[in-house]
Amino acid sequence: MPMFDYEEKRKKINNVTKLMEEGDWRSVLEAFEGNEENREPLLVWIRPSLSLVHFIEQELKKLNISKISSVGCGCGTLEWIIQQAVPDLEVIGYEVNKGWWESKHSTPHYIPLEYVDDKGANLELPSDSALLFCYFNNLEFFNNYIKNYKGDCVILIGPIDGKRHCEPQPDYLEEKKDWEIQSRMLLDGGDEIAIYIRRNMF
């Protein structure tokens, strides 16, 4: 990678994290607006937007859910934006490798993180929260989390344009007998958010 590109990338990351420190979530969203050059995987895999935040807020209100548990959230930029923009939503992140995320070398995180084992086989996730996976990338571990989750809402965010990959993809739960699609939304940059509810919820 050319030195200029590296320096520009670090400058952008530093600028966004500074805005997060200041609590300026609207300016953080503005930093991701525009074209694909404004995608920054070290902070968040998608290009977050105010319309995405409003979509999540409105759909969870329909379900009377006020908590989000985000598995594999990384540094939690998307989750931080949601928390700041919608204070009534409580957001917590789950990650592996505490040694990395608490080290001076990691990308700063500004949401609470709970650390779990890699496979998530024994993790009991809060049943009163929606379960969020954004660009998650291990189907075996995902199925472990879903198996242990007793709540009624799963949110999947990922690519649908074939240019990037994640497991599960946003349509993964469509054919599963326990889940049905509640709503979905296309995101800038070839991504999609899909919100599923448990079939026996109502």
Side-chain angles (χ1 to χ4, degrees):
M1 175 183 293
M3 182 61 70
F4 176 78
D5 290 348
Y6 175 79
E7 290 176 355
E8 285 297 306
K9 179 184 282 285
R10 293 309 310 174
K11 182 179 178 181
K12 177 183 177 181
I13 292 172
N14 291 338
N15 177 58
V16 171
T17 54
K18 183 175 184 294
L19 292 171
M20 292 174 72
E21 288 175 4
E22 296 169 352
D24 189 356
W25 61 270
R26 291 185 182 274
S27 293
V28 170
L29 284 178
E30 289 174 4
F32 291 99
E33 291 178 353
N35 56 34
E36 280 300 279
E37 292 179 359
N38 289 339
R39 186 186 293 267
E40 182 43 68
L42 286 178
L43 295 173
V44 57
W45 278 90
I46 63 170
R47 286 165 47 200
S49 65
L50 189 57
S51 59
L52 169 62
V53 173
H54 284 163
F55 176 76
I56 292 172
E57 177 186 17
Q58 292 166 5
E59 294 303 316
L60 293 188
K61 275 186 177 179
K62 293 176 185 177
L63 303 174
N64 198 29
I65 293 175
S66 59
K67 295 180 182 178
I68 296 175
S69 297
S70 181
V71 180
C73 64
C75 64
T77 301
L78 172 62
E79 292 77 5
W80 179 86
I81 291 169
I82 294 170
Q83 180 77 86
Q84 294 295 307
V86 191
D88 291 340
L89 273 178
E90 177 185 346
V91 185
I92 188 165
Y94 292 84
E95 260 300 346
V96 298
N97 198 350
K98 180 179 181 179
W100 165 252
W101 289 110
E102 298 299 331
S103 77
K104 63 181 181 180
H105 304 292
S106 76
T107 307
H109 53 85
Y110 299 101
I111 64 165
L113 290 181
E114 289 196 11
Y115 296 101
V116 300
D117 67 77
D118 286 7
K119 296 186 177 181
N122 301 310
L123 177 64
E124 291 189 17
L125 293 154
S127 61
D128 60 345
S129 71
L131 202 55
L132 169 64
F133 297 86
C134 180
Y135 267 80
F136 197 76
N137 210 19
N138 190 304
L139 203 53
E140 176 190 353
F141 298 171
F142 170 80
N143 286 326
N144 285 341
Y145 288 119
I146 292 295
K147 181 179 179 181
N148 292 328
Y149 174 59
K150 307 304 180 187
D152 296 313
C153 178
V154 174
I155 304 172
L156 300 182
I157 306 177
I160 58 171
D161 62 2
K163 296 179 180 179
R164 289 168 297 277
H165 177 74
C166 72
E167 284 188 321
Q169 294 185 319
D171 63 355
Y172 178 73
L173 290 177
E174 283 191 41
E175 303 302 323
K176 305 299 180 183
K177 63 181 179 64
D178 293 335
W179 300 95
E180 63 180 297
I181 189 76
Q182 170 174 289
S183 54
R184 60 191 344 137
M185 175 183 175
L186 294 176
L187 309 178
D188 288 341
D191 295 314
E192 182 182 60
I193 175 171
I195 298 182
Y196 295 87
I197 58 173
R198 199 179 292 277
R199 289 191 184 277
N200 63 357
M201 182 176 182
F202 297 109

